[in-house]
Amino acid sequence: MPTFEKTPGWLDWYAGPSTPRFRLPEGAVDAHCHVFGPGDEFPFAPERKYTPCDASKDQLFALRDHLGFARNVVVQATCHGADNSAMVDALRASGGRARGVATVRPAVTDAELAELHEAGVRGVRFNFVKRLVDAVPTDALQQVVERIAPLGWHVVIYFEAPDLAALRDFFLSVPVPLVVDHMGRPDVTKDPHGPEFEAFLDLLRAKPDTWCKVTCPERLTVTGPPALDGEQEAYRDVVPFARRVVEEFPDRVLWGTDWPHPNLESHMPDDGLLVDVVPHIAPTEKLQRKLLVDNPMRLYWPDAS
Ligand code: 0GY
């Protein structure tokens, strides 16, 4: 019996992903992925809102190699709360090929922050998605920012489009770079040139050290996944949104798989087909190189030659 029972209806990650038709540029970074447990070794947090399947560092590294990525950025998932040990264990086992984004509370000690930095953590994540976390007061978040700023870290923010208006002033006040998860979760049934997505792009315009992950077509789509033989149609409703961001902010975009894809209800993507979406959102070699190599390297491995 495993220690933890998965949330009923939980979709396990897709074993045996296809080989992407799109060949990733050398040195490509999967800049958004997670590890879950294994629960027997790294227990899930008591305050979690879901219990996932296990998704270990070795399974993540196998996917990295299969898809053709060189590096990973492992983002702390809410099911592990502020216990970063599974993520840190992955960073330490990666031989310098993974960086991390942690969750910390204001009471974190300097020694704990130094240890996270030494392991490869370069940012903290503030999650505003109500189904994933209990709300944390802005004061507490500001205290965390004060603690991490001297380390040169950034703040990853995860929120849904309807909440941007209420959060915008706080975001603009953050004195370190921001990285937005999944394009601020637009409603892709709306116009990519309409007021909702314009408000999101305005955040990127107003705070020029804000980066954007053009990720998660599988999470945002309404039209659904690509047919196995039809990559032209891949997540066609999400592509125009991602493409707008890539075209206006080519030096501030990142891409990642989001493996092992928590909380998907409709379908679990084949990560090989997800990679095949990249040339649709970044149509030139130059844009692909920025998205997959130059930008994530500048943010997470600035000292690499
Ligand atoms: C994602 C998205 C989700 C979950 C988490 O930390 C998490 O639990 O990020 C989600 O459910 O939308 O980026 O993995």
Coordinates of all heavy atoms in Angstrom, one line a residue, residues 10 32-34 36 49-50 75-81 103 125 127 129 131-133 158 160 181-182 185 213 215-216 218-219 257-264, ligand 1:
W10 N -7.6 11.3 -10.3 CA -6.3 11.9 -10.7 C -5.7 11.2 -11.9 O -5.7 10.0 -12.0 CB -5.3 11.7 -9.5 CG -4.0 12.3 -9.8 CD1 -2.9 11.8 -10.4 CD2 -3.6 13.7 -9.5 NE1 -1.9 12.7 -10.5 CE2 -2.3 13.9 -10.0 CE3 -4.3 14.8 -8.9 CZ2 -1.7 15.1 -9.8 CZ3 -3.7 16.0 -8.8 CH2 -2.4 16.1 -9.2
H32 N 9.7 24.8 -16.7 CA 8.6 24.6 -15.7 C 8.2 23.2 -15.7 O 7.6 22.6 -16.5 CB 7.4 25.5 -16.1 CG 6.3 25.5 -15.1 ND1 6.2 26.4 -14.1 CD2 5.3 24.6 -14.8 CE1 5.2 26.1 -13.3 NE2 4.6 25.0 -13.8
C33 N 8.7 22.6 -14.6 CA 8.3 21.2 -14.3 C 8.4 20.9 -12.8 O 8.8 21.8 -12.1 CB 9.2 20.2 -15.1 SG 11.0 20.6 -14.8
H34 N 7.9 19.8 -12.4 CA 7.8 19.5 -11.0 C 8.3 18.1 -10.7 O 8.3 17.3 -11.6 CB 6.3 19.6 -10.5 CG 5.5 20.8 -10.9 ND1 5.7 22.0 -10.3 CD2 4.6 21.0 -11.8 CE1 4.9 22.9 -10.9 NE2 4.2 22.3 -11.8
F36 N 7.0 15.1 -7.7 CA 6.0 14.8 -6.7 C 6.6 13.6 -5.9 O 6.7 12.5 -6.4 CB 4.7 14.3 -7.3 CG 4.0 15.4 -8.0 CD1 3.1 15.0 -9.0 CD2 4.1 16.7 -7.8 CE1 2.3 15.9 -9.8 CE2 3.4 17.7 -8.5 CZ 2.5 17.3 -9.5
K49 N -3.9 20.6 -1.2 CA -5.3 20.6 -1.7 C -5.5 19.4 -2.6 O -6.7 19.1 -3.1 CB -5.7 21.8 -2.5 CG -5.4 23.1 -1.7 CD -6.4 23.3 -0.6 CE -6.2 24.7 0.0 NZ -6.8 24.7 1.4
Y50 N -4.5 18.6 -3.0 CA -4.6 17.4 -3.8 C -3.5 16.5 -3.4 O -2.5 16.9 -2.9 CB -4.6 17.8 -5.3 CG -3.3 18.4 -5.8 CD1 -2.2 17.6 -6.1 CD2 -3.1 19.8 -5.9 CE1 -1.0 18.1 -6.5 CE2 -1.9 20.3 -6.3 CZ -0.8 19.5 -6.6 OH 0.3 20.1 -7.0
V75 N 10.0 23.5 -10.3 CA 9.2 24.5 -9.5 C 8.4 23.7 -8.4 O 7.8 22.7 -8.6 CB 8.1 25.2 -10.5 CG1 7.2 26.1 -9.7 CG2 8.8 25.9 -11.6
Q76 N 8.6 24.3 -7.2 CA 7.9 23.7 -6.0 C 6.4 23.6 -6.3 O 5.8 24.6 -6.6 CB 8.3 24.5 -4.8 CG 7.5 24.1 -3.5 CD 8.1 22.8 -2.9 OE1 9.0 22.2 -3.5 NE2 7.7 22.5 -1.8
A77 N 5.9 22.4 -6.1 CA 4.4 22.3 -6.3 C 3.7 22.4 -5.0 O 4.3 22.0 -3.9 CB 4.1 20.9 -6.9
T78 N 2.5 22.9 -5.0 CA 1.7 23.2 -3.8 C 1.5 21.9 -2.9 O 1.4 22.0 -1.7 CB 0.4 23.8 -4.1 OG1 -0.4 22.9 -4.9 CG2 0.6 25.2 -4.7
C79 N 1.5 20.7 -3.5 CA 1.3 19.5 -2.7 C 2.4 19.3 -1.7 O 2.3 18.5 -0.8 CB 1.1 18.3 -3.6 SG 2.4 18.0 -4.8
H80 N 3.6 19.9 -1.9 CA 4.7 19.8 -1.0 C 4.8 21.0 0.0 O 5.7 21.1 0.7 CB 6.0 19.6 -1.7 CG 6.2 18.2 -2.2 ND1 6.4 17.2 -1.3 CD2 6.4 17.6 -3.4 CE1 6.6 16.0 -1.9 NE2 6.5 16.3 -3.2
G81 N 3.8 21.9 -0.1 CA 3.8 23.1 0.8 C 5.1 23.8 0.7 O 5.7 24.1 -0.4
T103 N 9.1 27.4 -2.3 CA 8.1 28.1 -1.6 C 8.7 28.3 -0.2 O 9.2 27.3 0.4 CB 6.8 27.2 -1.4 OG1 6.3 27.1 -2.8 CG2 5.8 27.9 -0.6
R125 N 8.0 31.0 -5.3 CA 6.8 31.1 -6.1 C 5.7 31.6 -5.1 O 5.5 31.1 -4.0 CB 6.4 29.7 -6.5 CG 5.3 29.6 -7.5 CD 5.0 28.2 -7.9 NE 4.2 28.1 -9.1 CZ 3.5 27.0 -9.4 NH1 3.4 26.0 -8.6 NH2 2.8 26.9 -10.5
N127 N 1.7 31.7 -5.1 CA 0.6 31.1 -5.8 C -0.7 31.8 -5.3 O -1.0 31.8 -4.1 CB 0.6 29.6 -5.5 CG -0.2 28.8 -6.5 OD1 -1.3 29.2 -6.9 ND2 0.3 27.7 -6.8
V129 N -3.8 31.0 -6.9 CA -4.9 30.2 -7.5 C -5.6 29.6 -6.3 O -5.1 28.7 -5.6 CB -4.3 29.1 -8.4 CG1 -5.5 28.3 -9.0 CG2 -3.6 29.8 -9.6
R131 N -7.9 27.4 -5.8 CA -8.2 26.0 -5.6 C -6.9 25.3 -5.1 O -6.9 24.1 -4.7 CB -8.7 25.3 -6.8 CG -7.7 25.2 -7.9 CD -8.3 24.7 -9.3 NE -7.5 25.2 -10.3 CZ -6.3 24.7 -10.7 NH1 -5.8 23.7 -10.0 NH2 -5.6 25.2 -11.7
L132 N -5.7 26.0 -5.2 CA -4.5 25.3 -4.9 C -3.9 25.6 -3.5 O -3.2 24.8 -2.9 CB -3.4 25.7 -5.9 CG -3.6 25.1 -7.3 CD1 -2.6 25.7 -8.3 CD2 -3.5 23.6 -7.3
V133 N -4.2 26.8 -3.0 CA -3.6 27.3 -1.7 C -4.6 28.1 -1.0 O -5.5 28.7 -1.5 CB -2.3 28.1 -2.0 CG1 -1.2 27.3 -2.4 CG2 -2.6 29.2 -3.0
Y158 N 1.7 32.8 -9.9 CA 0.7 32.0 -10.5 C -0.7 32.5 -10.1 O -1.0 32.5 -9.0 CB 0.9 30.5 -10.1 CG 0.0 29.6 -11.0 CD1 -0.5 29.9 -12.2 CD2 -0.3 28.3 -10.4 CE1 -1.2 29.0 -12.9 CE2 -1.1 27.4 -11.2 CZ -1.6 27.8 -12.4 OH -2.3 26.9 -13.1
E160 N -4.9 33.6 -11.9 CA -5.8 33.4 -13.0 C -6.3 34.8 -13.5 O -6.4 35.8 -12.7 CB -7.0 32.6 -12.6 CG -6.6 31.2 -12.2 CD -7.6 30.3 -11.7 OE1 -8.4 30.7 -10.8 OE2 -7.7 29.1 -12.2
D181 N 3.5 32.5 -14.5 CA 3.2 31.1 -15.0 C 2.0 31.2 -15.9 O 1.0 31.8 -15.7 CB 2.8 30.3 -13.8 CG 4.0 29.7 -13.0 OD1 5.1 29.8 -13.6 OD2 3.8 29.2 -11.9
H182 N 2.2 30.4 -17.0 CA 1.1 30.1 -17.9 C 0.3 31.3 -18.4 O -0.9 31.3 -18.5 CB 0.1 29.1 -17.3 CG 0.9 28.0 -16.5 ND1 2.1 27.5 -16.8 CD2 0.5 27.3 -15.4 CE1 2.5 26.6 -15.9 NE2 1.5 26.4 -15.0
R185 N -3.0 32.6 -17.1 CA -4.2 31.8 -17.3 C -5.3 32.6 -18.0 O -6.4 32.8 -17.4 CB -4.6 31.2 -16.0 CG -3.7 30.2 -15.5 CD -4.3 29.3 -14.5 NE -5.4 28.5 -15.2 CZ -5.5 27.2 -15.2 NH1 -4.7 26.5 -14.6 NH2 -6.5 26.6 -15.8
K213 N 6.0 32.7 -18.9 CA 6.1 31.4 -19.4 C 4.9 31.1 -20.3 O 3.7 31.2 -19.9 CB 6.0 30.4 -18.2 CG 7.1 30.4 -17.3 CD 7.0 29.3 -16.2 CE 7.9 29.6 -15.0 NZ 7.5 28.9 -13.8
T215 N 3.4 28.7 -21.5 CA 3.2 27.3 -21.2 C 1.8 26.9 -21.0 O 0.9 27.7 -20.9 CB 4.0 27.0 -19.8 OG1 3.8 28.1 -19.0 CG2 5.5 26.8 -20.0
C216 N 1.6 25.6 -20.9 CA 0.4 24.9 -20.6 C -0.8 25.0 -21.5 O -1.9 25.3 -21.2 CB -0.1 25.4 -19.2 SG 0.7 24.6 -17.9
E218 N -2.1 22.6 -22.7 CA -3.0 21.4 -22.3 C -3.9 21.8 -21.2 O -4.9 21.2 -21.0 CB -2.1 20.2 -21.9 CG -1.4 20.3 -20.6 CD -0.3 21.2 -20.5 OE1 0.1 21.9 -21.4 OE2 0.4 21.2 -19.4
R219 N -3.5 22.9 -20.4 CA -4.3 23.3 -19.3 C -5.3 24.4 -19.7 O -6.3 24.5 -19.1 CB -3.3 23.9 -18.3 CG -3.7 23.9 -16.9 CD -2.5 24.3 -16.0 NE -1.7 23.2 -15.6 CZ -2.0 22.2 -14.9 NH1 -3.2 22.1 -14.3 NH2 -1.1 21.3 -14.6
T257 N 7.5 22.1 -19.9 CA 6.5 21.0 -20.2 C 5.3 21.1 -19.2 O 4.2 20.6 -19.5 CB 7.1 19.6 -20.0 OG1 7.7 19.5 -18.7 CG2 8.1 19.4 -21.1
D258 N 5.6 21.5 -17.9 CA 4.7 21.4 -16.8 C 4.5 19.9 -16.4 O 3.6 19.6 -15.6 CB 3.3 22.0 -17.0 CG 2.6 22.2 -15.7 OD1 3.2 22.3 -14.7 OD2 1.3 22.1 -15.8
W259 N 5.4 19.0 -16.8 CA 5.4 17.7 -16.3 C 5.5 17.7 -14.8 O 6.2 18.5 -14.3 CB 6.6 16.9 -16.9 CG 6.5 15.4 -16.6 CD1 6.0 14.4 -17.4 CD2 7.1 14.8 -15.5 NE1 6.2 13.2 -16.8 CE2 6.9 13.4 -15.6 CE3 7.9 15.2 -14.4 CZ2 7.3 12.4 -14.7 CZ3 8.3 14.3 -13.4 CH2 8.0 12.9 -13.6
P260 N 4.8 16.8 -14.1 CA 3.8 15.8 -14.5 C 2.4 16.2 -14.6 O 1.5 15.4 -14.4 CB 4.0 14.7 -13.4 CG 4.4 15.5 -12.2 CD 5.1 16.8 -12.7
H261 N 2.2 17.5 -14.9 CA 0.8 18.0 -15.3 C -0.2 17.7 -14.2 O -1.2 17.0 -14.4 CB 0.4 17.3 -16.6 CG 1.4 17.4 -17.7 ND1 1.7 18.6 -18.3 CD2 2.2 16.5 -18.2 CE1 2.6 18.3 -19.2 NE2 3.0 17.1 -19.1
P262 N -0.1 18.4 -13.0 CA -1.1 18.2 -12.0 C -2.5 18.7 -12.3 O -2.6 19.7 -13.1 CB -0.5 19.0 -10.8 CG 0.4 20.0 -11.4 CD 1.0 19.3 -12.6
N263 N -3.5 18.1 -11.8 CA -4.8 18.5 -11.8 C -5.4 18.7 -13.2 O -6.2 19.6 -13.5 CB -4.9 19.9 -11.1 CG -4.5 19.8 -9.7 OD1 -5.0 19.0 -8.9 ND2 -3.6 20.7 -9.3
L264 N -5.1 17.8 -14.1 CA -5.8 17.8 -15.4 C -7.0 16.9 -15.3 O -6.8 15.8 -14.8 CB -4.8 17.4 -16.5 CG -3.7 18.4 -16.8 CD1 -2.9 18.0 -18.0 CD2 -4.3 19.8 -17.1
Ligands
0GY1 C1 1.2 23.9 -12.5 C2 -0.3 24.1 -12.3 C3 -1.0 23.7 -11.3 C4 -0.6 23.2 -10.0 C5 0.5 23.7 -9.4 O1 1.9 23.8 -7.6 C6 0.9 23.3 -8.0 O2 0.2 22.5 -7.4 O3 1.3 24.5 -9.9 C7 -2.5 23.7 -11.5 O4 -3.2 22.9 -10.8 O5 -3.0 24.6 -12.3 O6 1.9 24.8 -12.9 O7 1.6 22.8 -12.3

